[in-house]
Amino acid sequence: PNNLNGNGYRIRVICNDPALISPDNGYDVRIQSSISPTVSLESSPSNVCDGAPVNLLAEVSAAGVNPQYSWTINGGAVNYQASSLTLDTLTNTATVGITVTSSLACASPVTGNASTTIQVSANPPAFAGSDTTLCAGESVQLGNESGLLVSWEPATGLSDATSDQPIASPESTTVYQLTVQNNEGCISYDTVQVSVNPQLPELTLINSFEILTIAEELEGTFTWYLNGEVIIDETSDSLVIFAPGDYSLLFEDAFGCTTSSNVFTVNTVATESIETTPEPIFTINSGYWQLDRIEAVGNTLSVRVFDMSGRLCMNGVMNRSGESQFIILEQTHPQGIYVLEFINNGIMQHIKFILP
């Protein structure tokens, strides 16, 4: 029947075929000619940081068994049909609304509305610094000034793990993570990698037959000094001693890292008093070795060849081939730097040469 309204109604089923009158439902029923759906909206939490999830739940009553849900964010529609919603893309202050459409035929009005405002706080800026590479023993300043609560992990190699701009002096390659927290409790992270090149050895100068050299085998750039001044055009790992004084060596590898030698003091040079004897010239030719500008008596010249460690590699004789020229058949030795020793005008002399 239409237009029923009020309390105290009960429901009884009467059938004609078969003839049956059932007992009533056993409790009073309230009948309303129209009913309005109601909705409330809760958010958890109501204050969040950028990117943090917010859970929204609509509590609905008097909307039937199959109501329809429509969501909005700041007035814009969200394509989602459910009584709960999770958001993680809110920025600044956001108003989230929901409209519930009742499935009851007697609903009037058909819809119910609710909304809530969510406060969204910005995450603080976090800058740990640019990735960098150090030589062993060097330091670098990380981060930038923020005035916020900061912490660094790991603390190893840092001057202060709670400073905006700590000094990093790691012994090995390390990735540091920066955590920044603002007054609203929002947190940001950033990382920086500080790479550390291998430790270079301290160089020790060795005097081998009036030639300064080092025991280490290194690939890079060599710079020689005499009394603190650069020796021009001397860029190999060995140097013929040519004058008394304090010698030292600086080495730089491909990464720009450097190491230096001890100071080696030379008081006298054996050939220093020779003023009239021209400098001998040693040439490696195809099939033979040749020495020129040699003042020696006889048709033979005793020579010895040493490697840079001082090991004797050859003890032989060169034959005169001209007024001041001696030759010897080509000798077979491994690739490397060698020293030729001979007597010229009564003075023992040494010439450094390279076998390719």
Side-chain angles (χ1 to χ4, degrees), residues 278-283 290-294 324 326 340 342 351:
E279 187 73 22
I281 298 176
F282 178 66
T283 308
Q290 178 178 317
L291 258 178
D292 290 287
R293 298 182 180 178
I294 301 300
S324 59
F326 288 80
L340 179 69
F342 56 93
I351 293 179

Side-chain angles (χ1 to χ4, degrees), residues 101-160:
T101 302
S102 175
S103 62
L104 295 174
C106 62
S108 178
V110 178
T111 61
N113 301 284
S115 65
T116 186
T117 299
I118 301 169
Q119 300 293 332
V120 183
S121 299
N123 292 324
F127 178 67
S130 301
D131 292 346
T132 188
T133 300
L134 303 178
C135 300
E138 290 184 339
S139 301
V140 65
Q141 187 177 57
L142 304 181
N144 59 11
E145 187 174 353
S146 70
L148 301 174
L149 182 64
V150 303
S151 63
W152 295 83
E153 290 184 351
T156 304
L158 297 181
S159 59
D160 184 352

Side-chain angles (χ1 to χ4, degrees), residues 61-343:
S61 63
V65 296
N66 189 29
Q68 300 296 311
Y69 302 94
S70 300
W71 293 88
T72 61
I73 300 177
N74 294 328
V78 178
N79 185 21
Y80 191 76
Q81 296 289 333
S83 61
S84 62
L85 176 65
T86 298
L87 301 172
D88 59 4
T89 58
L90 298 178
T91 58
N92 301 320
T93 298
T95 299
V96 180
I98 186 170
T99 298
V100 178
T101 302
S102 175
S103 62
L104 295 174
C106 62
S108 178
V110 178
T111 61
N113 301 284
S115 65
T116 186
T117 299
I118 301 169
Q119 300 293 332
V120 183
S121 299
N123 292 324
F127 178 67
S130 301
D131 292 346
T132 188
T133 300
L134 303 178
C135 300
E138 290 184 339
S139 301
V140 65
Q141 187 177 57
L142 304 181
N144 59 11
E145 187 174 353
S146 70
L148 301 174
L149 182 64
V150 303
S151 63
W152 295 83
E153 290 184 351
T156 304
L158 297 181
S159 59
D160 184 352
T162 61
S163 169
D164 283 347
Q165 297 175 288
I167 302 300
S169 307
E171 294 183 357
S172 59
T173 297
T174 304
V175 176
Y176 291 102
Q177 177 175 282
L178 168 66
T179 302
V180 182
Q181 180 175 328
N182 61 17
N183 295 332
E184 289 74 27
C186 298
I187 296 176
S188 295
Y189 304 92
D190 193 27
T191 60
V192 61
Q193 177 169 305
V194 181
S195 302
V196 181
N197 289 321
Q199 176 75 52
L200 292 174
E202 183 177 343
L203 306 180
T204 301
L205 293 182
I206 302 170
N207 185 357
S208 177
F209 306 101
E210 301 301 311
I211 296 177
L212 292 178
T213 186
I214 55 175
E216 297 80 9
E217 293 186 5
L218 301 173
E219 292 290 335
T221 302
F222 298 89
T223 303
W224 288 91
Y225 295 84
L226 176 59
N227 298 326
E229 299 292 333
V230 174
I231 304 175
I232 304 301
D233 296 331
E234 290 291 346
T235 57
S236 70
D237 61 354
S238 61
L239 175 71
V240 175
I241 297 174
F242 61 90
D246 293 331
Y247 290 84
S248 61
L249 175 64
L250 178 69
F251 170 76
E252 180 177 333
D253 66 13
F255 303 107
C257 300
T258 61
T259 184
S260 57
S261 73
N262 59 309
V263 175
F264 190 93
T265 300
V266 175
N267 295 317
T268 59
V269 177
T271 59
E272 190 175 18
S273 61
I274 304 176
E275 298 179 355
T276 59
T277 302
E279 187 73 22
I281 298 176
F282 178 66
T283 308
I284 298 177
N285 300 304
S286 178
Y288 65 96
W289 295 355
Q290 178 178 317
L291 258 178
D292 290 287
R293 298 182 180 178
I294 301 300
E295 297 185 10
V297 178
N299 294 321
T300 60
L301 179 69
S302 296
V303 295
R304 296 195 298 177
V305 174
F306 299 86
D307 63 18
M308 294 309 295
S309 67
R311 182 177 63 88
L312 178 65
C313 301
M314 186 196 80
N315 192 351
V317 174
M318 300 187 76
N319 297 305
R320 185 184 293 277
S321 60
E323 181 178 351
S324 59
Q325 183 181 87
F326 288 80
I327 62 172
I328 189 174
L329 293 179
E330 184 177 17
Q331 305 296 302
T332 301
H333 298 290
Q335 180 182 9
I337 302 174
Y338 294 87
V339 175
L340 179 69
E341 180 185 82
F342 56 93
I343 303 296

